[in-house]
Amino acid sequence: MGTKHCLVPMKRFLLTTSILLLSSFVYSDAERKPVPLKRGSSAEVLYFDFGETAPKSFFQSEKLQEPKLEDLKLGFLDAAPGYYAGPDGGEVYQWAKNHYQWKRADGSVFTEWPSGIFKLDFPTGIGFVYAPAPPNCNGCSPTLVWNYPDHTKITKYWIANRKEYDTIFQKPIDFQNFLLVNESKFGKPKLEVENLVFYGSEKWNEFLRVFGDEGKTTFLFTYLQYEFGLTNRGKVPVLLFDEYQSAKEYVGFDLPGANQTELGLGGKDAIVLCCGDQMPEKTGNPKFDADSLRRVNFSMVLQKLTRNIEQVSCLKAIAETGKSPTEEIVDPWFEEGFPSYVESRFSDRKKIWMYSETEKLIRENKVPKSFKSLLDAKYKDNLPYLIGAILVKHLHEVYGKESIISYQRETCLGLDSILALQKITGKSPDTLLKDSIKKFETDDIGLLKYAKPLSLMGMTVMEPKFPNEFNGFLEKGFSLKESAKEVKSYDEIPNLSRIFTANVEDFSGKREGDFLGPGRSYFYLWKKGNYRWYGEGWEANVFPGNQIVYRGSNFTIVEWENGKKQYVAPNGDSVIFQNK
């Protein structure tokens, strides 16, 4: 019975406590201080809709609503931590001055930090982030990011040198990161090949007309994917500039290789190429126009595209791991050396240029003595494109493709270049550099004996006016007396005009440069109209007016337009026939 009596007061106590707690909760909620919008207590609360998916064109991205801090900021009277009531009745919690969170009536959550960053998140996974420009960036505008549930986002980066935003579509987890091109500035796309989209003026028409056949982009994408696991599934805008100065103003610095024949930049958002004023244009002369296109280095795009794909793959690695370098890893030897090496695998012209220039650096004692000096030299003497490429080639051939894959990933995630090489190969970078040069000298430099035919691969074959006579010369050469005194008749000296005159009418005065010749011969034309045939151990120079000078096997033959001939024998004696 005693126990029964004790239960009654306990029940009363619990009931009373519950009522008191509920009353306290209702009371505290009702007594929360309201906090208005900073722009005024009577100001209307603004709501936003960013759409369900990220826009994929610049025009669509321009329609995105952009929340402003002044639209959302709350006007606290004091900085006391605690709960408050928002202007729409939503719950607000303040941690400190300019650091609070507002759960809004539409389900969105607004958060502001003292640093000036703020974000607006929706339960669906859609959201907006505002990050103010760094204080050391004078006149710069903030970075703006719209996030979507499928891991895509639109990011607007302020470009200080142009004083405008670049708008980027990003989905790094799916190898996508590309510029949304403002077509009111660059025009409609002029060509789409694979996932490359080209924008440019009429000066690029001939380049674009044949790029699909000559560019080899399909092979490049396949090679990079299966050999190194590098890919880009998004668009790759290719911005074609007509003049170097306009390209420089766009990127904000001198383009890499600006003093060479290759002008371009393979950025992670887009590729920039220059210069349209150097591109071939139709003249109405089929032979000249075809020759002009043969001189275009289409493989340059492969190098810039490789750099773009490598950077997009790097962004994927960062997105997957959540790691990001605390400071920029400076390794131009790989950033430019890897694309240069890849291009050389697709272009004999590029390979010969790379090998010839590397041999020249070795001969002139300009090869860095240590890996650090290679890094410190940056772009001096084209070292990243040459020595960097030779070092990448060495890693690929000796340590396998995994060494390239690992180095790219390790440095993407912030490991120092020197430490990354040591970790991957077990050797010091100085040793690797030394070994790569030694291997080049032992195994590769011999290719330069084929430099001429490889460097002219695909060039126009110049036509001699009398092909039978020219081919007869290539097969048999000249049979001449050892002494000029033994030459008794005019006909014993070859008729040079029947052998070496060429059909240069389509090119004379408009083209200066190398051509291929029939068989194992080569040809060089000067703009003034004079030209040279040459091969192993011989050359024939044809001057305006068809004066021809042939040299070979230590003798010389001269023929004038009026038929006069001279033969200079190996011993220096000569004989002249004024005419037949």
Side-chain angles (χ1 to χ4, degrees):
M1 297 292 292
T3 306
K4 197 173 185 179
H5 284 291
C6 290
L7 283 173
V8 175
M10 180 61 71
K11 287 180 179 179
R12 289 176 180 168
F13 174 78
L14 290 173
L15 180 61
T16 304
T17 303
S18 299
I19 293 171
L20 287 172
L21 287 172
L22 181 60
S23 301
S24 175
F25 176 79
V26 172
Y27 176 80
S28 63
D29 189 57
E31 290 299 310
R32 282 183 188 169
K33 291 181 181 178
V35 56
L37 289 164
K38 188 161 186 180
R39 52 193 168 92
S41 57
S42 61
E44 182 183 356
V45 175
L46 299 181
Y47 297 101
F48 300 90
D49 183 358
F50 307 133
E52 295 181 0
T53 58
K56 284 196 172 183
S57 74
F58 179 82
F59 177 71
Q60 291 172 333
S61 72
E62 286 295 279
K63 295 180 179 180
L64 281 172
Q65 290 182 310
E66 181 187 328
K68 307 286 188 183
L69 182 59
E70 56 266 27
D71 294 333
L72 294 162
K73 191 176 181 68
L74 297 180
F76 289 90
L77 297 177
D78 59 57
Y83 287 97
Y84 296 80
D88 61 350
E91 181 183 274
V92 176
Y93 186 82
Q94 179 175 237
W95 289 276
K97 185 179 181 181
N98 295 326
H99 187 195
Y100 58 91
Q101 187 175 85
W102 171 20
K103 296 179 180 179
R104 292 154 45 95
D106 66 343
S108 62
V109 178
F110 171 70
T111 310
E112 182 185 354
W113 283 268
S115 60
I117 295 174
F118 75 82
K119 67 175 184 173
L120 183 64
D121 294 317
F122 290 85
T124 57
I126 296 170
F128 174 82
V129 180
Y130 170 105
N136 59 350
C137 189
N138 187 28
C140 291
S141 291
T143 298
L144 311 174
V145 184
W146 289 261
N147 293 297
Y148 293 87
D150 62 352
H151 303 294
T152 58
K153 59 184 177 180
I154 298 295
T155 302
K156 289 191 176 184
Y157 293 107
W158 182 254
I159 308 300
N161 61 287
R162 283 188 265 129
K163 294 181 172 56
E164 64 180 8
Y165 276 110
D166 269 355
T167 305
I168 314 297
F169 178 94
Q170 296 174 307
K171 195 176 183 181
I173 204 75
D174 192 40
F175 295 101
Q176 295 192 58
N177 188 92
F178 56 87
L179 175 73
L180 297 181
V181 177
N182 183 352
E183 293 183 358
S184 64
K185 180 183 295 186
F186 290 97
K188 295 287 185 182
K190 296 184 73 74
L191 176 71
E192 295 190 32
V193 179
E194 295 282 345
N195 57 347
L196 277 72
V197 186
F198 290 83
Y199 300 82
S201 76
E202 302 302 310
K203 291 183 179 294
W204 292 86
N205 282 356
E206 283 298 279
F207 175 94
L208 295 175
R209 186 173 66 82
V210 299
F211 179 81
D213 295 327
E214 301 289 338
K216 301 179 182 177
T217 53
T218 301
F219 299 108
L220 177 71
F221 277 106
T222 301
Y223 175 71
L224 291 176
Q225 169 65 47
Y226 287 99
E227 187 68 7
F228 303 111
L230 305 177
T231 192
N232 186 341
R233 294 177 185 151
K235 293 179 182 179
V236 184
V238 184
L239 309 179
L240 306 171
F241 286 86
D242 290 343
E243 299 173 352
Y244 177 74
Q245 187 59 33
S246 60
K248 178 181 176 180
E249 288 172 0
Y250 181 80
V251 299
F253 50 83
D254 281 312
L255 293 178
N259 297 318
Q260 307 299 320
T261 57
E262 297 183 356
L263 308 177
L265 176 70
K268 63 179 178 293
D269 309 324
I271 293 173
V272 171
L273 293 183
C274 185
C275 296
D277 55 12
Q278 299 174 15
M279 290 297 111
E281 296 184 23
K282 274 194 174 182
T283 65
N285 182 326
K287 287 187 176 180
F288 185 84
D289 292 344
D291 177 73
S292 297
L293 289 169
R294 291 187 182 108
R295 295 176 187 278
V296 174
N297 183 10
F298 291 103
S299 74
M300 173 181 67
V301 180
L302 302 187
Q303 184 189 104
K304 310 310 174 191
L305 182 54
T306 298
R307 179 73 182 113
N308 165 264
I309 291 174
E310 186 271 321
Q311 290 179 88
V312 169
S313 295
C314 181
L315 292 174
K316 177 178 171 61
I318 292 172
E320 284 178 333
T321 61
K323 297 180 181 178
S324 185
T326 53
E327 59 184 47
E328 184 180 1
I329 304 299
V330 180
D331 59 350
W333 76 270
F334 184 81
E335 291 175 359
E336 304 299 347
F338 177 65
S340 188
Y341 166 63
V342 169
E343 184 192 359
S344 73
R345 294 181 66 91
F346 288 84
S347 167
D348 287 326
R349 285 193 211 176
K350 176 68 176 189
K351 181 178 289 185
I352 289 302
W353 175 82
M354 190 172 84
Y355 283 18
S356 299
E357 293 298 308
T358 300
E359 186 275 334
K360 182 180 177 183
L361 288 175
I362 294 171
R363 184 165 24 92
E364 295 177 353
N365 198 29
K366 291 183 177 179
V367 176
K369 304 303 181 186
S370 68
F371 184 75
K372 185 178 183 304
S373 60
L374 173 63
L375 294 178
D376 292 342
K378 296 182 179 178
Y379 291 92
K380 182 182 178 183
D381 296 323
N382 278 324
L383 288 173
Y385 301 92
L386 302 171
I387 302 304
I390 296 302
L391 180 51
V392 169
K393 182 177 184 294
H394 178 71
L395 290 172
H396 192 202
E397 293 178 352
V398 177
Y399 298 92
K401 63 183 183 181
E402 289 299 328
S403 65
I404 305 296
I405 295 170
S406 297
Y407 179 85
Q408 190 262 354
R409 186 175 178 83
E410 293 285 358
T411 51
C412 276
L413 299 178
L415 188 61
D416 176 77
S417 183
I418 292 175
L419 296 176
L421 282 174
Q422 289 174 333
K423 177 180 178 179
I424 292 160
T425 65
K427 289 190 175 182
S428 75
D430 289 350
T431 300
L432 293 171
L433 178 60
K434 181 180 177 181
D435 289 348
S436 68
I437 298 300
K438 183 178 179 181
K439 190 173 188 297
F440 170 75
E441 292 179 299
T442 304
D443 299 345
D444 302 319
I445 208 169
L447 183 68
L448 291 179
K449 63 184 176 183
Y450 307 109
K452 200 65 183 180
L454 289 174
S455 65
L456 297 180
M457 188 74 70
M459 285 289 193
T460 301
V461 178
M462 181 57 69
E463 300 172 355
K465 283 187 179 293
F466 306 100
N468 290 337
E469 286 84 346
F470 185 83
N471 289 329
F473 159 74
L474 292 180
E475 291 175 12
K476 301 175 184 178
F478 292 142
S479 178
L480 292 162
K481 300 290 194 295
E482 287 294 320
S483 171
K485 295 176 182 179
E486 299 177 33
V487 179
K488 301 302 182 183
S489 76
Y490 181 90
D491 291 330
E492 289 183 51
I493 302 176
N495 186 341
L496 300 185
S497 63
R498 289 286 299 181
I499 299 170
F500 295 115
T501 52
N503 289 317
V504 296
E505 292 77 15
D506 293 314
F507 309 101
S508 185
K510 298 179 290 184
R511 171 78 71 233
E512 181 167 304
D514 282 297
F515 292 76
L516 281 171
R520 298 182 67 182
S521 68
Y522 307 100
F523 187 91
Y524 193 89
L525 175 66
W526 282 270
K527 267 198 175 177
K528 292 182 178 179
N530 53 312
Y531 52 88
R532 174 186 296 162
W533 291 100
Y534 60 103
E536 189 172 348
W538 66 273
E539 66 176 44
N541 288 281
V542 181
F543 298 93
N546 280 348
Q547 176 182 324
I548 303 174
V549 179
Y550 173 88
R551 295 184 180 88
S553 301
N554 296 319
F555 62 82
T556 301
I557 302 172
V558 183
E559 181 176 297
W560 285 264
E561 187 178 17
N562 61 6
K564 177 180 175 181
K565 293 182 181 180
Q566 179 182 15
Y567 169 56
V568 182
N571 63 4
D573 292 340
S574 70
V575 59
I576 296 178
F577 293 90
Q578 294 297 334
N579 52 54
K580 187 171 183 179

